Amino acid sequence: MLAVLTEGDGCGGHVQEAASSLSQLSTQMVFSMLAHLTQWSRHTLLARIKHSESGDYQRVVAFLKGIPQDVLAKASLGSKSYTRALMHFEAYILENKEDIQDHLRFLQTLYAAMHEPGGVRGANALRREEPSLREHILEHESIGLLRDATACYDRAIQLESDQIGHYHVSSMLGLGQLSTVVTQVNGVLANRPQWKSDLNTYRVEAAWKLSKWDLLEDYLGSAG
């Protein structure tokens, strides 16, 4: 179960669509099993079963406690179960008496995924240190400041050109800079073809919105 829940940790970018779908399905299955075990343990405790059966209850409870809350929070975020992610994150902070400063990036990412700009701004307000470019990007995107987000992406690329996360051009798509998206992604993939599975979707969307059907056909063909 831990192998499934931590499958996405450490990935540099988006995984391929088929793999992502399988990963999410596996994660949801694990969460369904955990929910069943949790419900069973609560029912068993309330039913006050006989001592001869209490060993099963203790083993199940120990098993559930053995899965770290932060792992469950990250897996929930990865499977787009945002409310569950927030629940496990709060449990992790409280149970381990963690310093929230060490986890503001995760909290900000979670609120951004939930489309909660107030939460994103609140996480930034808690910072004792200057936010990173990535953290600025999350805040700008969450409140619709796409030009500012694009400027931060450009700066991040200048500083760390080998980080694929800086080349996700969703802000440009939101601004309608479709031809720029196609040009930039083509330029990046010319030098780093191994990033095609992560970036191809952006130029596919741009070509479709531009009604460039010949380009769309080429990009969809290259994705296969």
Side-chain angles (χ1 to χ4, degrees):
M1 286 188 176
L2 285 174
V4 171
L5 293 173
T6 59
E7 188 272 338
D9 286 1
C11 292
H14 299 295
V15 294
Q16 294 183 10
E17 183 176 352
S20 178
S21 299
L22 178 60
S23 175
Q24 289 195 23
L25 181 62
S26 302
T27 300
Q28 291 295 341
M29 185 176 296
V30 168
F31 276 119
S32 295
M33 295 172 67
L34 293 177
H36 175 75
L37 290 173
T38 300
Q39 184 178 15
W40 179 89
S41 63
R42 290 173 179 169
H43 174 76
T44 300
L45 180 62
L46 292 174
R48 297 181 179 180
I49 60 173
K50 296 179 180 179
H51 178 71
S52 60
E53 297 176 298
S54 64
D56 290 338
Y57 169 77
Q58 297 295 338
R59 283 191 288 272
V60 170
V61 170
F63 172 79
L64 291 172
K65 289 183 176 179
I67 301 179
Q69 291 292 326
D70 60 329
V71 170
L72 293 170
K74 293 174 183 177
S76 297
L77 175 59
S79 61
K80 301 181 181 180
S81 299
Y82 304 130
T83 302
R84 179 193 291 150
L86 187 58
M87 177 188 71
H88 288 300
F89 175 75
E90 291 175 345
Y92 172 70
I93 295 296
L94 293 174
E95 290 178 7
N96 297 278
K97 296 180 174 58
E98 289 284 324
D99 185 352
I100 192 67
Q101 291 292 319
D102 297 331
H103 305 283
L104 289 177
R105 168 73 70 87
F106 176 85
L107 188 60
Q108 191 178 29
T109 301
L110 176 56
Y111 278 127
M114 296 173 73
H115 303 291
E116 292 283 355
V120 177
R121 287 195 298 267
N124 251 354
L126 291 173
R127 297 186 186 281
R128 301 191 190 114
E129 300 178 354
E130 178 67 20
S132 66
L133 281 172
R134 182 58 190 160
E135 289 153 356
H136 277 303
I137 288 170
L138 281 172
E139 181 174 11
H140 292 328
E141 288 184 335
S142 70
I143 60 179
L145 298 177
L146 300 183
R147 293 190 185 279
D148 292 337
T150 299
C152 287
Y153 274 122
D154 291 341
R155 178 61 176 160
I157 289 172
Q158 292 175 11
L159 295 175
E160 299 175 321
S161 61
D162 60 340
Q163 297 297 311
I164 189 173
H166 301 332
Y167 294 90
H168 291 160
V169 291
S170 53
S171 296
M172 289 184 183
L173 285 172
L175 290 169
Q177 298 175 351
L178 305 177
S179 296
T180 302
V181 169
V182 172
T183 300
Q184 179 162 322
V185 173
N186 284 342
V188 172
L189 294 183
N191 295 319
R192 301 180 186 272
Q194 69 274 22
W195 289 356
K196 183 179 292 183
S197 62
D198 297 273
L199 301 182
N200 193 55
T201 181
Y202 295 110
R203 63 179 183 177
V204 166
E205 181 176 347
W208 175 69
K209 290 181 176 179
L210 287 167
S211 300
K212 299 289 187 180
W213 309 123
D214 53 340
L215 290 179
L216 180 61
E217 184 177 359
D218 289 342
Y219 298 154
L220 290 174
S222 68

